[in-house]
Structure formats: structure tokens, C-alpha cells
Amino acid sequence: MSTTLFTSESVTEGHPDKIADQISDSVLDHMLAQDQNSRVACETLVTTGLALIAGEVTTSGYVHLPDIVRGTLQRIGYTNSSYGIDATTCSVLTSLDRQSLHIAMGVDTGGAGDQGMMFGYASDETPEYMPPTIHYAHALTRQLAKVRQSGELPWVRPDGKSQVTIEFDGDTPVRIHTVVVSTQHDEDVSQDDIVQGIAEKVVRPALPSGLYDPDNCILHVNPTGRFVIGGPHGDAGLTGRKIIVDTYGGVGRHGGGAFSGKDATKVDRSAAYAARWAAKNVVAAGLARRCEIQLAYAIGVVEPVSVHVTTFGTSELPEEVLSRAVAEVFDFRPAAIIDALGLRNPIFTPTAAYGHFGRTPETRVPDCSETGEEVRFFSWEDTNRIDDLRTAAGV
């Protein structure tokens, strides 16, 4: 049997880059809650004792940015000055200007907020239609956060990372070959206790027994032997530096644009969501086992300049038939995407940790809602175009 290895990584909500993403998206959500037509491009830098927010914003609402920063740090768990950044005492600097009027000229007419290409991907390898390596890497970081927040492993601190390597026979996962977990921790815990605690309380509960055999898997836990200094004190964090963690873990392609801190007129975000929505529905409809969709735009232009569908040889239908079906069922104009997916609502903060895709859609009141109205979160994960696609494809 000839096999191959593939690896994906994830990071926790306390990773410095993810702190920055969550602050940026929280700023966006609070502005959208007051003004659904807010134009937001918000970048965040976090480092020892400091958060800096910069970017371009046009909104009729008002957001007290220090409250956003402190609330985000508090929620994540940076509440101790010994961690190097503390929700209560950190400095907050801001430099926000209005959106360029020259960009607004194209967006106001329904055009794309920038040029670029965006990709959406789906496969039938997991119930969430996600590649298994990134799926299980996220499962590990979510479990790591869970044992920290519950106090089950009281020495775990907010910063952490995971990595999962799976052995494949062709396209079929055979086993989890290697697992890496790195967790920030209190100073007085031993490496032996860390390894034992992570193996028993994080790795084993997070991974499926059908793929994970602890006796036949390489496990690295805090491979350097010490990880006390972490978070923004250990490494500065920036918005948009975890774009592969945010998407498909390196499976499929990426157009290069980040998501967090951007309102949906930025096609880096909205078109990537729409491409995932379409690709997931193609696979869920049984039209292919794997599907990748590329969309491309010109700034200020309403229609995408190209739509490309590929199924990697996993469909019985010609790709031109699938392409026509996708084009018939999905409207990829930026304003149409925003309307179809409800992207003017304050729904983005939950996307900023543990991936934008493969999540469970839900309808609830946003945390920062000004109206108390329920809205749809992760609407691009809905498989609500299956019948339309099958009809359009003639099956």
C-alpha cells in the first residue's frame, strides 16, 4: 500500500493573531449593529500591554474601541497582568480614517470593493464537508480551550496550537499519524504533568477512535519543553495572519485575502463565503465528492470576471455542466451575496476563532444586537440549494 501524509494546523482563541482577528471582527459587529451599511476595514495589532487599531471606517454609529478591546481580552481569558497583556490595564491606541471616496464610488453601485480571486472548497470526508486534517486540528484547539475554561486543566493558559497529520491511501484517511499540541501553561507545572494531561484530557476526547490509536500515533506535546511566555507577550499578533487556519488547512487553494475586520462589501470575505456555500451544496447534492470554486472580481464591477468549478475527477458529470448549474443557482454579484447570506448583520465575531467554515449554522440574537432580533450565523454552511442544483444539472 502506497500512502501519503498531509498536515493542517489550528490555533486557540488566545493565540495573538486570533486575538487580533477577534478584536477586528468585534469592532465590525458593533458598527453593523448600529448601522448595517457600515463600511469597515479594521486591522488590529496586539503586543505586550498594547492593542493598536487602525484602518478605514465609514459609519453612522459610534463604538468605544477600548471597551471592545478589553471585552475581547476578558472573554478570551487575558485577565492576569503576568500574562503580558491584561484586559483591565492594557493600553489601546486607535488610528481610524473614513473609507476612500474613490472606493465608495464603485461599491455604492453594487460593485466589488476590491479586485482579487477567492476560493471555496468542500469534500465528503467529514460530516461538516471539510478536509479531515483541519477538522481534527480545530477539534483539538476547541478541546484545549474547553479544559482551560472549565478548570479541568487549571494550569492551561489562553495561547495554544495544534497540528494533525493524517496518513491517506489515495483519498481515504487511514489513520492519524502525528499530533502536535502546544499549550501555554503556568510556571509551576511539570512537563510530565502537561504531557499526561494533554494526552488524556485533550487529545483522546477530541479525536475519533477509528483514526486515532495512541499506540500507533506520534504525539508531541510542548516539544520545546516550556511554554510559559505566550500570547501577545511572546509574539505580536496581527489581523489576517491565519488565513489557512481560517479556511481549509492548506487543502485546496487560497486567494490570499484575509477575512476578519472587513464588512461584506469586501469580496475577500463575502465571495469566499459564497464560494464555500456553493461548493458545499454541490457536494451535499451528491454531484461530486470534492469541489472547489474560484470567483474573481474587478473593483467597482458588479459581475464576477470569472467563475471556475473543478471537482478533481470526483464527479460523473462534465465540469461544464456543473459550472452552468452553479451559475444558474447562485448569484455571485456582491450585493446579491450579501442579501442571500444576511451579511449586513453583526454575525462575524464567532468566525474569528476555530475556522470560518465547517461550522454549525444557528439562528439567535447577536451578542451586540441593538434590536433583539434573531439572525442567521454561518449561513454559508446551509445546504439549502441541493434540489435546485440537482435540477439545474439534470439529475
Side-chain angles (χ1 to χ4, degrees):
M1 179 175 67
S2 177
T3 61
T4 58
L5 302 178
F6 194 85
T7 301
S8 297
E9 71 160 349
S10 177
V11 299
T12 66
E13 64 213 55
H15 185 280
D17 294 331
K18 283 287 126 193
I19 297 172
D21 284 343
Q22 289 167 91
I23 291 171
S24 291
D25 269 339
S26 187
V27 171
L28 169 63
D29 278 349
H30 280 79
M31 291 182 176
L32 290 173
Q34 297 178 54
D35 176 7
Q36 286 198 323
N37 294 313
S38 295
R39 303 278 173 78
V40 181
C42 177
E43 311 293 342
T44 302
L45 177 148
V46 288
T47 186
T48 304
L50 171 67
L52 169 64
I53 299 175
E56 297 76 42
V57 168
T58 298
T59 183
S60 63
Y62 171 75
V63 174
H64 189 63
L65 296 176
D67 287 350
I68 302 297
V69 172
R70 299 187 195 286
T72 302
L73 289 169
Q74 177 84 27
R75 176 180 55 78
I76 293 170
Y78 283 97
T79 56
N80 188 322
S81 60
S82 68
Y83 292 179
I85 192 167
D86 173 28
T88 304
T89 62
C90 72
S91 298
V92 179
L93 302 179
T94 64
S95 178
L96 292 178
D97 204 345
R98 66 177 58 87
Q99 184 187 59
S100 164
L101 295 176
H102 295 168
I103 295 175
M105 288 170 58
V107 177
D108 290 344
T109 59
D114 200 355
Q115 71 173 47
M117 64 280 191
M118 303 83 207
F119 291 90
Y121 179 86
S123 71
D124 64 357
E125 298 166 286
T126 62
E128 294 76 14
Y129 297 94
M130 289 290 285
T133 48
I134 188 65
H135 174 76
Y136 295 123
H138 285 322
L140 287 169
T141 50
R142 283 195 296 266
Q143 181 67 13
L144 185 57
K146 180 180 178 181
V147 299
R148 172 178 64 86
Q149 294 160 352
S150 69
E152 190 172 5
L153 293 179
W155 39 263
V156 173
R157 291 185 178 181
D159 193 1
K161 305 178 79 171
S162 72
Q163 192 168 278
V164 173
T165 301
I166 291 181
E167 183 178 357
F168 289 86
D169 180 11
D171 291 336
T172 303
V174 176
R175 67 183 179 103
I176 295 176
H177 179 278
T178 303
V179 171
V180 183
V181 178
S182 295
T183 180
Q184 187 186 15
H185 58 84
D186 289 346
E187 194 152 3
D188 57 357
V189 63
S190 71
Q191 174 70 357
D192 287 344
D193 287 343
I194 292 171
V195 172
Q196 181 178 353
I198 295 300
E200 294 180 358
K201 303 295 186 181
V202 176
V203 177
R204 189 183 293 269
L207 300 181
S209 59
L211 288 176
Y212 174 65
D213 177 0
D215 295 324
N216 191 30
C217 177
I218 300 167
L219 176 61
H220 296 293
V221 177
N222 282 16
T224 69
R226 193 162 178 80
F227 187 6
V228 176
I229 300 171
H233 186 41
D235 291 286
L238 294 169
T239 302
R241 274 207 312 203
K242 286 292 175 282
I243 59 175
I244 301 303
V245 171
D246 284 343
T247 52
Y248 309 103
V251 178
R253 286 164 281 197
H254 197 293
F259 301 154
S260 289
K262 297 177 180 177
D263 75 88
T265 64
K266 283 74 171 172
V267 284
D268 276 343
R269 182 169 222 161
S270 54
Y273 288 1
R276 161 64 178 176
W277 181 36
K280 183 176 181 179
N281 274 267
V282 167
V283 176
L287 302 179
R289 292 183 52 243
R290 296 169 60 198
C291 180
E292 182 181 78
I293 295 176
Q294 185 204 53
L295 305 176
Y297 295 84
I299 188 168
V301 177
V302 173
E303 296 285 349
V305 300
S306 66
V307 178
H308 178 73
V309 179
T310 184
T311 58
F312 308 96
T314 66
S315 176
E316 295 181 2
L317 298 173
E319 289 187 346
E320 57 267 25
V321 172
L322 280 178
S323 295
R324 286 196 299 270
V326 167
E328 179 179 330
V329 172
F330 294 93
D331 187 342
F332 293 122
R333 294 174 299 168
I337 293 170
I338 291 169
D339 288 340
L341 297 178
L343 301 183
R344 292 187 181 90
N345 294 313
I347 57 173
F348 296 106
T349 302
T351 70
Y354 309 114
H356 293 244
F357 307 126
R359 308 288 292 272
T360 302
E362 59 175 335
T363 301
R364 62 176 175 85
V365 178
D367 293 339
C368 61
S369 173
E370 300 262 321
T371 65
E373 295 180 2
E374 291 187 337
V375 300
R376 191 70 167 163
F377 286 75
F378 298 101
S379 55
W380 49 93
E381 293 297 314
D382 284 322
T383 50
N384 51 5
R385 299 293 176 90
I386 290 175
D387 292 340
D388 293 340
L389 277 169
R390 291 180 63 84
T391 299
V395 299

